[in-house]
Amino acid sequence: MAHVHEVPADLTRNQGLVLGALNRSSGPLSAYDILDRLREDGLRAPLQVYRALDKLVERGLAHRLESLNAFVACADEHCHRKGLIAFAICEGCGKVDEFADAVIEERLGNWAGAKGFKVERTTMEIRGKCAECLKLAA
Amino acid sequence: MAHVHEVPADLTRNQGLVLGALNRSSGPLSAYDILDRLREDGLRAPLQVYRALDKLVERGLAHRLESLNAFVACADEHCHRKGLIAFAICEGCGKVDEFADAVIEERLGNWAGAKGFKVERTTMEIRGKCAECLKLAA
DNA sequence: TTTCAATACGTTATAGCATAACACTGCCGC
DNA sequence: GCGGCAGTGTTATGCTATAACGTATTGAAA
Ligand SMILES: [Zn+2]
Ligand SMILES: [Zn+2]
Ligand SMILES: [Zn+2]
Ligand SMILES: [Zn+2]
């Protein structure tokens, strides 16, 4: 199990609930998944979840996985949105591994510099099978 | 304007129409955008477009941009789905630049090798502003 | 040539993801 | 107090994608 951030004290109620749901999950959750898990806590509409997610993602406490239309809690102790983050997503068990790579970041920076392109954010998602799932399938 | 593939002869009617629409567009199109542009040609349902897109993407003639839920025609003469492809998407004008980087690919390969992760496909999308749009804003 | 499998097609209905618009609340600085 | 700002709650709506059905076409195997 990867590192789990302590929950910052200044989150609002809804933000705390949503981050809690993400932290308790073993894999990515869609906004509607989250909503379903928080109905008992009083959440009723998708927008309540999306608004909380926006803030969490903005602060680097959660990440959006574009290729899944889903979200995960940040699993990297040092992450908090400095620099490029890559995700490896297992199609077998759904687990997500989060990592950073300075060389890749530099490489992208070079490309952007050469083209005069100003990078605002980068999505990098690897889909495949994790070691455990490969072992099981063998 | 980037290179445009000649349209392979063995495409079905619907596939040809969809690829045509993508080729004529200056930017990414959603499946529903494509549908709207092809109603005159007889297309009526999203599924007709999605099915064609599936085949085109499979063959490397088009690409899906996960962060936009949209599609582009392949713009790289050599592309055809060998290896990792990265996309730089301008938030200003919508233009998409497609490129490959062997170093990044190798780097990801290394990470995957070390983790025992089997890569099946990779999404890499840079969002930002292209040189032209930056010039205009200045 | 019949038969069978594979592939594409057309249509309706439905599921899943995301935001617009509006009203209201509580908080903090002025 | 007042004005601004961030958060909230709610309803309605829009966009993206697939399920499930049946039909048509094609191209080999039998
Ligand atoms: Zn993180
Ligand atoms: Zn796995
Ligand atoms: Zn391409
Ligand atoms: Zn631009």
Side-chain angles (χ1 to χ4, degrees), chain B residues 63 74 79 98:
Chain B
H63 302 294
C74 177
C79 161
E98 175 178 345

Side-chain angles (χ1 to χ4, degrees), chain B residues 110-128:
Chain B
N110 289 346
W111 182 92
K115 287 280 191 178
F117 189 97
K118 184 178 166 214
V119 177
E120 272 154 19
R121 88 182 162 283
T122 302
T123 295
M124 188 150 178
E125 297 172 19
I126 306 173
R127 309 288 292 271

Side-chain angles (χ1 to χ4, degrees), chain B:
Chain B
M1 188 59 175
H3 173 81
V4 172
H5 293 288
E6 57 185 301
V7 176
D10 65 337
L11 293 181
T12 66
R13 168 175 160 81
N14 287 0
Q15 288 163 19
L17 287 170
V18 169
L19 184 54
L22 288 176
N23 273 327
R24 283 191 301 277
S25 169
S26 64
L29 296 177
S30 77
Y32 283 75
D33 291 337
I34 295 169
L35 178 56
D36 286 339
R37 296 179 184 209
L38 295 177
R39 288 199 190 274
E40 295 181 352
D41 298 287
L43 292 205
R44 308 178 152 280
L47 215 56
Q48 297 175 287
V49 175
Y50 280 108
R51 290 200 274 228
L53 284 169
D54 281 347
K55 294 301 176 191
L56 293 173
V57 168
E58 205 176 295
R59 295 181 56 169
L61 296 167
H63 302 294
R64 177 184 171 81
L65 300 174
E66 301 284 1
S67 67
L68 293 179
N69 294 326
F71 301 82
V72 286
C74 177
D76 182 330
E77 186 169 4
H78 304 299
C79 161
H80 291 297
R81 75 188 158 116
K82 22 183 177 311
L84 178 152
I85 313 165
F87 301 91
I89 303 164
C90 176
E91 317 253 67
C93 63
K95 276 205 306 202
V96 176
D97 205 332
E98 175 178 345
F99 65 100
D101 186 306
V103 172
I104 292 176
E105 193 166 356
E106 186 202 328
R107 211 58 201 167
L108 279 181
N110 289 346
W111 182 92
K115 287 280 191 178
F117 189 97
K118 184 178 166 214
V119 177
E120 272 154 19
R121 88 182 162 283
T122 302
T123 295
M124 188 150 178
E125 297 172 19
I126 306 173
R127 309 288 292 271
K129 286 270 203 305
C130 76
E132 282 189 29
C133 286
L134 287 173
K135 223 183 302 173
L136 288 180

